[in-house]
Amino acid sequence: MSDRPTIRVSRTTRDEPRRAAQDRHQAVAETVRRLRQDEMGRDLDRPLTDEEVAWLDADTE
């Protein structure tokens, strides 16, 4: 028995990363890494929430 879980996905879902990589002329791992970096960049580019500003302005003493 395998230690890895098995999940069922459609062929379309399974093939999506491969197609994206082919469109970009990259390896699948490189495409996934760049997409994650793009998402991280968008997250960092957004304005801080009031809660985040309050946390950053909190006294550390």
Side-chain angles (χ1 to χ4, degrees), residues 1-3 7 12 17-18 25 30 33 35 45-46 48 53 55:
M1 190 169 189
S2 174
D3 289 340
I7 59 171
T12 302
R18 184 176 52 86
H25 306 287
E30 177 68 11
R33 185 183 69 78
L35 290 171
D45 193 40
R46 70 167 173 74
L48 295 174
V53 170
W55 182 83

Side-chain angles (χ1 to χ4, degrees), residues 6-59:
T6 301
I7 59 171
R8 292 181 184 261
V9 296
S10 70
R11 285 188 176 117
T12 302
T13 299
R14 180 199 66 193
D15 294 341
E16 188 69 26
R18 184 176 52 86
R19 279 195 301 276
Q22 286 175 339
D23 290 347
R24 292 169 174 79
H25 306 287
Q26 300 169 336
V28 172
E30 177 68 11
T31 299
V32 170
R33 185 183 69 78
R34 287 184 184 205
L35 290 171
R36 286 180 177 160
Q37 285 180 331
D38 289 348
E39 182 178 8
M40 189 184 310
R42 285 189 300 275
D43 287 347
L44 292 171
D45 193 40
R46 70 167 173 74
L48 295 174
T49 64
D50 291 340
E51 184 178 323
E52 290 166 331
V53 170
W55 182 83
L56 288 169
D57 288 341
D59 290 334

